[in-house]
Amino acid sequence: NAGVTQTPKFQVLKTGQSMTLQCAQDMNHEYMSWYRQDPGMGLRLIHYSVGAGITDQGEVPNGYNVSRSTTEDFPLRLLSAAPSQTSVYFCASSSGLTPPTLYGYTFGSGTRLTVV
Amino acid sequence: SQKIEQNSEALNIQEGKTATLTCNYTNYSPAYLQWYRQDPGRGPVFLLLIRENEKEKRKERLKVTFDTTLKQSLFHITASQPADSATYLCALRSGNTGKLIFGQGTTLQVKP
């Protein structure tokens, strides 16, 4: 099993450009989330999903869009990149077996994004 | 509002001693608390979780306690080793939502 796969690993964008960070998991997990990590700020939740077709906002959703058309994939879109979105982005997934609160999250290795 | 706090100061201990890290929270009920380890340049790795009705959980040299009156969890690493040096994150999940919120993390440095 590959676990949670994030692509790309590194990306440099110019201000105003758009891009999609890809996240795929092969564990048949229902729950998926996107986080950003900045120095001294810890991990902050951007968006999360409890299953295909269902998404919700986290702590810092502004400037990001998500969709979940399949169980496996949960892409994160930056519509118009800003320097404030320079960060490391992590995707994570967790089992939806009942009760889901018994399960921890599996994280990808991250995407390091720089917006200039 | 919901809040999770960890000591942002690094914890330095000598090899062989017990490391104790603290996580305090407010406004989570029911609370399902998780601990993760993160090494530089890598994603967090899940270690342990403890539910509100559990007082203590153990896994090898790791022990987690949960005091719902104090709204605090303690994370212990016994017989610590230099390889335990990392940042440790606590996170809280409220009920069956997919929402897992993290504290800022505490960096542990174990010196030989």
Side-chain angles (χ1 to χ4, degrees):
Chain A
N1 285 349
V4 177
T5 302
Q6 291 185 238
T7 55
K9 292 196 183 310
F10 301 92
Q11 183 71 49
V12 178
L13 284 180
K14 292 184 179 176
T15 297
Q17 284 185 318
S18 63
M19 82 160 294
T20 299
L21 307 186
Q22 301 291 346
C23 175
Q25 52 90 10
D26 62 358
M27 298 171 284
N28 202 31
H29 283 172
E30 291 296 320
Y31 293 87
M32 295 187 76
S33 298
W34 274 103
Y35 292 88
R36 61 176 288 174
Q37 188 170 37
D38 304 294
M41 298 291 292
L43 284 157
R44 291 184 292 170
L45 181 64
I46 305 171
H47 285 286
Y48 64 102
S49 170
V50 298
I54 307 170
T55 64
D56 205 347
Q57 295 183 348
E59 301 169 282
V60 289
N62 292 341
Y64 307 95
N65 279 353
V66 292
S67 60
R68 182 105 180 262
S69 55
T70 67
T71 299
E72 294 77 21
D73 299 297
F74 191 40
L76 178 72
R77 294 185 196 82
L78 283 70
L79 296 178
S80 178
S84 60
Q85 294 179 305
T86 293
S87 188
V88 181
Y89 291 84
F90 288 102
C91 179
S93 72
S94 177
S95 174
L97 293 175
T98 302
T101 47
L102 286 183
Y103 301 93
Y105 273 76
T106 300
F107 279 77
S109 56
T111 294
R112 197 169 292 271
L113 176 69
T114 301
V115 183
V116 297
Chain B
S1 63
Q2 295 176 324
K3 208 170 177 183
I4 304 168
E5 288 185 341
Q6 294 184 258
N7 190 348
S8 56
E9 288 184 19
L11 178 63
N12 295 300
I13 64 166
Q14 208 65 36
E15 182 176 7
K17 300 291 186 186
T18 296
T20 299
L21 286 69
T22 304
C23 177
N24 296 298
Y25 68 94
T26 56
N27 295 328
Y28 274 92
S29 185
Y32 302 86
L33 195 142
Q34 304 185 8
W35 284 91
Y36 290 77
R37 169 183 173 142
Q38 187 174 25
D39 292 289
R42 310 194 76 149
V45 174
F46 172 68
L47 296 174
L48 279 169
L49 74 82
I50 187 165
R51 291 176 290 174
E52 215 174 37
N53 59 353
E54 297 174 315
K55 291 272 191 274
E56 181 179 299
K57 267 279 186 70
R58 290 177 185 259
K59 180 181 174 183
E60 297 170 355
R61 294 184 296 111
L62 308 180
K63 183 176 88 170
V64 173
T65 61
F66 202 2
D67 186 327
T68 53
T69 303
L70 292 178
K71 298 196 184 304
Q72 182 181 80
S73 175
L74 298 179
F75 177 80
H76 307 273
I77 306 175
T78 58
S80 59
Q81 304 165 1
D84 295 325
S85 299
T87 296
Y88 291 86
L89 302 155
C90 77
L92 271 151
R93 186 171 189 172
S94 184
N96 286 334
T97 74
K99 205 170 175 180
L100 185 71
I101 303 297
F102 282 83
Q104 317 96 297
T106 299
T107 297
L108 172 67
Q109 186 74 33
V110 181
K111 297 182 179 176

